[in-house]
Amino acid sequence: MIKTELFLLVLSMGVAMAKEPIGRRSTWRNLPNIIIMLMDDVRISWFLAIFVVVSTFHWQMGWGDLGCYGNEAQETPNIDKLAQEGAMFTDFYSAAATCSPSRASMLTGRLPIRNGMYSNNTFGRNAVVIANATGGLVPEEETIAEVLSRLGYRSKIIGKWHVGNSRELSPLNQGFDEFFGANQNHLGPYDNINSPNNAVYQNDKMVGRYFQEEFFINTETGESDLTRIWSKSAVEFIDANKHNPFFLLWSADGTHTVLGAHRDYLGTSQRGLYGDVIRDLDHGVGQIITRLKQLKLHRNTFVFFGSDNGPSGVAGTHGGSAGPFLCSKMTTYEGGMRVPGIFWWPGVIPPRQIEKAPANLLDIFSTILEITGGEVSNPERPLDGQSLWPILINKPGATLEKNSIFFYRGTGLYAVRVGDYKAHYWTWNLASEGQRKMGGNPCSGIYIQNFITDEITDHNDQPFLFHLGRDPGETYPIDPSSEEYQIQMDIINDARDRHLKSLEGDIANPQLNIIDRATAVSTFQTLLPLINNESLYTFIRNYEKVTRNIITTDIKS
């Protein structure tokens, strides 16, 4: 009893210190360092519904990318250790089904419909910041980097930005002091004067391009030093800021195609090249955590590890599987947005926690506000997330005020989860016949008639309803004539209506409607004449058509 009371006293002292306003802080040491490790298309795998019941502390059971979420290969020891020493959420979600809107929402704590990272050219379609997109996260939206800057933090993003291409929309104009990475991911190679490979920047200076020199990715062998470059830069940033508070967004995107892993890990995974990349990323996580411990900063550093969306089903074996979850990236089924969520702060966040409450990337913003005492510049501007801090520190009796998750694609509110129940008002799997012939399919799970649909389908008159606790694969819809269906749909409809009302006067202008070829760093156009494989050619041509439908009806020449 004495030990327990002493532990809770230490926790409460740490929380009081973290929430203390900056004006009363006598030293930077009262401000925790913040590290967000945001991966790309990392999948979560599941035996967790069974696993949590069997043993709270058995971390290697099931299948998927990360050992702590059930992978039998046990190839992610450093990430698994983060989970073992901290808190792991089983029902954690990205803020959107694709990269750009999800990342922007994590940075702002606001849904894409509020921060403008969507397109309304066509109803219910995803949109991302492609290389020739003119829009992005507008400076009027306040990022967590801007909040932390006012508290005296030094901030840096390393790796993938993907929420704006222009100088005005760069990280340096969104609160970050330093930038080492790219506005885009590393698709390619293109190697054409009209469609050059994506550029890599050191702050506002271009220092190279993907697939060239030190940023080379060997498409034949899969060898690449990119993750090592990003992890080395992270360690250097920590070294340079060991005497002042820092915020690091480590956005290593190795799991996004084109895959590339360091030579030390090539051919070492049981899961092929994708597994090699996961092992390389895990090594990078280990390098960062080891440096924190060497500098004795680990007890003053809050770390979050997660992913911007689910796995890429259209990438086949280079994109992984969502395990028992339905479908993958780009969809609002569980496989599209259920992602890892791991929190680590030794001595403050108790170890070996498994949290089943639904949570979201949107919550990262509010959680950081609470632990730093930071304040937004406009308190009247709604935030969609909430602080997870009370349950992270295992505060007795703590629960989350919000228990709803909203699944958007563009302007379409496709699904809503409240508690364990999820209702689908719209469905669309995004799969084309050409993608399926190639072995790529966003929805490779069990097909349910009229639920996994090849076209945008309206179910508002009778939504599909699932209990995710007993049916995480969304395989057995609840009978609409049952009392359970009627009761839960009343609850979810009420949550949906209250959410939609909260948007009144706060829907941003869409920023992803227009492309301009003058802004392009790369496109698929250069690839088309070089492709001999007919199905691959068809896929890329179809992708280009879909992209145009998603992102533009108005092209500037």
Side-chain angles (χ1 to χ4, degrees):
M1 176 64 73
I2 294 176
K3 287 184 179 180
T4 301
E5 291 176 349
L6 179 61
F7 180 63
L8 291 174
L9 175 62
V10 171
L11 280 180
S12 65
M13 290 173 62
V15 174
M17 182 181 295
K19 293 184 67 175
E20 190 177 9
I22 184 65
R24 297 205 298 269
R25 290 192 178 102
S26 59
T27 168
W28 70 267
R29 294 183 186 279
N30 294 343
L31 281 167
N33 303 309
I34 308 292
I35 297 179
I36 295 176
M37 300 179 178
L38 190 64
M39 304 299 102
D40 205 316
D41 300 0
V42 170
R43 67 184 187 254
I44 187 173
S45 63
W46 284 79
F47 227 85
L48 258 292
I50 299 172
F51 158 64
V52 172
V53 175
V54 173
S55 172
T56 304
F57 306 121
H58 189 82
W59 296 89
Q60 311 294 338
M61 189 176 185
W63 59 87
D65 284 342
L66 309 180
C68 55
Y69 280 100
N71 174 252
E72 293 179 340
Q74 302 184 27
E75 294 179 340
T76 53
N78 295 300
I79 299 171
D80 296 349
K81 192 172 183 181
L82 283 184
Q84 189 174 24
E85 295 177 351
M88 180 181 74
F89 281 67
T90 63
D91 292 40
F92 200 85
Y93 291 89
S94 62
T98 51
C99 310
S100 300
S102 185
R103 290 168 179 269
S105 292
M106 185 203 70
L107 287 167
T108 63
R110 287 160 53 84
L111 284 163
I113 196 71
R114 294 193 202 268
N115 64 38
M117 292 294 284
Y118 71 96
S119 169
N120 63 359
N121 286 330
T122 306
F123 173 79
R125 292 179 181 266
N126 297 310
V128 297
V129 179
I130 61 174
N132 48 4
T134 61
L137 183 60
V138 295
E140 289 76 17
E141 287 291 325
E142 187 172 44
T143 70
I144 192 61
E146 291 172 308
V147 174
L148 294 177
S149 178
R150 294 196 293 269
L151 297 177
Y153 279 77
R154 182 78 179 176
S155 60
K156 183 171 186 174
I157 174 174
I158 297 172
K160 178 178 176 179
W161 173 236
H162 211 197
V163 295
N165 292 319
S166 68
R167 183 182 296 268
E168 292 74 19
L169 301 177
S170 81
L172 302 180
N173 285 327
Q174 303 277 18
F176 288 92
D177 300 295
E178 302 177 41
F179 174 37
F180 180 39
N183 293 330
Q184 290 286 313
N185 51 40
H186 53 266
L187 284 173
Y190 303 107
D191 299 321
N192 182 283
I193 191 171
N194 295 317
S195 302
N197 292 317
N198 290 327
V200 178
Y201 295 90
Q202 183 74 263
N203 296 323
D204 59 355
K205 180 183 178 182
M206 193 184 83
V207 293
R209 293 185 182 277
Y210 286 135
F211 298 97
Q212 297 174 8
E213 298 179 350
E214 66 174 310
F215 306 110
F216 184 70
I217 305 172
N218 191 319
T219 57
E220 294 183 1
T221 66
E223 182 178 343
S224 171
D225 291 335
L226 279 180
T227 300
R228 292 296 174 94
I229 292 171
W230 302 147
S231 57
K232 180 175 181 289
S233 179
V235 169
E236 291 172 348
F237 177 73
I238 293 170
D239 287 342
N241 292 279
K242 59 187 175 185
H243 296 307
N244 56 268
F246 62 81
F247 167 44
L248 171 63
L249 175 51
W250 192 63
S251 185
D253 64 338
T255 43
H256 194 294
T257 53
V258 175
L259 299 181
H262 191 269
R263 66 181 68 89
D264 290 350
Y265 289 105
L266 283 179
T268 64
S269 172
Q270 299 177 36
R271 296 172 287 165
L273 180 56
Y274 186 87
D276 297 341
V277 173
I278 290 289
R279 295 199 67 200
D280 197 13
L281 284 169
D282 181 77
H283 173 84
V285 171
Q287 292 292 297
I288 293 170
I289 298 301
T290 296
R291 195 61 179 148
L292 290 174
K293 292 180 177 179
Q294 290 171 343
L295 296 174
K296 295 181 171 53
L297 296 176
H298 57 297
R299 292 186 176 274
N300 194 46
T301 302
F302 170 85
V303 175
F304 167 74
F305 178 94
S307 178
D308 60 0
N309 47 244
S312 176
V314 298
T317 58
H318 279 197
S321 166
F325 292 129
L326 188 63
C327 300
S328 58
K329 171 183 176 178
M330 300 189 288
T331 76
T332 51
Y333 305 103
E334 285 295 284
M337 293 176 60
R338 185 88 75 101
V339 296
I342 299 170
F343 296 82
W344 181 85
W345 186 350
V348 181
I349 296 177
R352 296 179 180 271
Q353 291 189 75
I354 296 178
E355 179 55 60
K356 297 174 65 178
N360 194 293
L361 273 181
L362 293 158
D363 300 327
I364 302 302
F365 188 99
S366 296
T367 303
I368 293 175
L369 289 185
E370 179 161 1
I371 66 177
T372 62
E375 297 179 351
V376 296
S377 58
N378 180 8
E380 299 301 315
R381 174 173 284 187
L383 296 176
D384 291 298
Q386 63 186 323
S387 175
L388 303 176
W389 194 242
I391 59 175
L392 284 175
I393 61 171
N394 206 12
K395 184 178 179 180
T399 58
L400 296 179
E401 180 181 349
K402 301 177 182 178
N403 67 341
S404 301
I405 304 291
F406 301 100
F407 301 75
Y408 273 91
R409 290 175 71 164
T411 55
L413 181 54
Y414 269 59
V416 177
R417 174 176 175 173
V418 178
D420 285 330
Y421 290 89
K422 180 180 177 183
H424 291 262
Y425 296 94
W426 297 86
T427 56
W428 184 33
N429 64 16
L430 197 70
S432 69
E433 189 62 30
Q435 291 170 344
R436 293 195 183 106
K437 287 180 179 178
M438 290 172 57
N441 186 349
C443 285
S444 54
I446 299 173
Y447 273 70
I448 301 173
Q449 187 175 6
N450 201 37
F451 178 56
I452 302 178
T453 53
D454 289 348
E455 302 293 337
I456 298 176
T457 305
D458 185 354
H459 304 288
N460 279 271
D461 289 341
Q462 187 173 289
F464 278 88
L465 180 67
F466 298 90
H467 186 290
L468 297 178
R470 59 179 183 252
D471 181 20
E474 298 174 292
T475 305
Y476 305 101
I478 297 172
D479 184 352
S481 66
S482 68
E483 182 181 8
E484 179 183 21
Y485 182 94
Q486 300 300 325
I487 292 173
Q488 296 304 323
M489 282 309 308
D490 284 345
I491 294 172
I492 294 177
N493 284 334
D494 178 65
R496 178 197 61 175
D497 294 344
R498 284 186 285 110
H499 165 68
L500 293 176
K501 186 173 180 57
S502 78
L503 294 177
E504 294 178 2
D506 194 38
I507 296 179
N509 291 326
Q511 298 300 310
L512 303 181
N513 277 352
I514 301 173
I515 65 174
D516 182 347
R517 296 189 185 281
T519 68
V521 180
S522 61
T523 74
F524 281 126
Q525 288 288 348
T526 309
L527 276 177
L528 294 176
L530 306 178
I531 295 173
N532 294 319
N533 184 299
E534 183 177 354
S535 61
L536 184 58
Y537 180 98
T538 302
F539 167 69
I540 292 177
R541 177 61 78 186
N542 286 340
Y543 183 94
E544 187 183 44
K545 290 178 181 178
V546 169
T547 301
R548 283 177 175 158
N549 286 335
I550 289 172
I551 210 157
T552 180
T553 57
D554 187 4
I555 301 176
K556 296 179 181 179
S557 59

